[in-house]
Amino acid sequence: MSNYEQTAALLKGLMGKLMSSDNAERSQAEQALNSEWRDVQPQTLLGSLAFLVRRDGEAQARAFAAVLLRRIAFQDVKAGDSKEDDRSVWSVVPAAVHQAVKSELLGALKDETDRGARHKL
């Protein structure tokens, strides 16, 4: 998952802005998360979030990454003009990403020592 490690640093900066108390900064970060990550490279987003859930040094960042991963993975992505084509982000990423995310999450469950972060997994 070395490519996830590289993008996790970029994503962690965006996560900091998502936690901002400034509404304008948070809104801009939410828009960037959706337009630059979720819509363009969902496999990288999910893999990088899973990487952060297991391997970030800060418990608060691990917990927030877990919440984001869960929320984003099951958001609907419009695949076409009709409602019947709506699918979740999780359903559009390849099986290899599914396996990598599952592996990271299981490892995080096994290794997590912070009660708050573990609860958010």
Side-chain angles (χ1 to χ4, degrees), residues 1-2 4-6 8 12 47-59 61-63 65 100-101 103-109 111-112 121:
M1 280 192 37
S2 62
Y4 295 140
E5 184 175 4
Q6 295 168 356
K12 188 167 179 186
S48 297
L49 284 171
F51 180 88
L52 288 170
V53 166
R54 183 172 185 192
R55 300 171 192 268
D56 195 273
E58 300 173 28
R62 291 191 306 271
V101 168
S103 175
E104 288 293 316
L105 291 178
L106 287 172
L109 277 172
D111 299 338
E112 185 58 62
L121 277 169

Side-chain angles (χ1 to χ4, degrees), residues 60-79:
Q60 182 181 11
R62 291 191 306 271
F64 190 53
V67 170
L68 278 177
L69 176 61
R70 187 174 56 245
R71 290 182 68 194
I72 290 169
F74 299 105
Q75 280 181 344
D76 288 336
V77 175
K78 193 172 271 290

Side-chain angles (χ1 to χ4, degrees), residues 14-99:
L14 186 60
M15 285 171 48
K17 292 178 182 178
L18 287 169
M19 291 187 283
S20 172
S21 60
D22 179 17
N23 285 338
E25 184 177 20
R26 193 172 55 249
S27 294
Q28 186 179 15
E30 288 171 0
Q31 185 177 21
L33 181 68
N34 291 331
S35 64
E36 297 171 17
W37 289 89
R38 187 197 68 194
D39 296 342
V40 178
Q41 48 188 347
Q43 64 279 3
T44 303
L45 175 60
L46 296 182
S48 297
L49 284 171
F51 180 88
L52 288 170
V53 166
R54 183 172 185 192
R55 300 171 192 268
D56 195 273
E58 300 173 28
Q60 182 181 11
R62 291 191 306 271
F64 190 53
V67 170
L68 278 177
L69 176 61
R70 187 174 56 245
R71 290 182 68 194
I72 290 169
F74 299 105
Q75 280 181 344
D76 288 336
V77 175
K78 193 172 271 290
D81 291 333
S82 77
K83 279 276 203 197
E84 296 153 7
D85 290 338
D86 287 352
R87 299 182 296 170
S88 69
V89 173
W90 183 255
S91 69
V92 299
V93 298
V97 174
H98 290 182
Q99 190 60 36

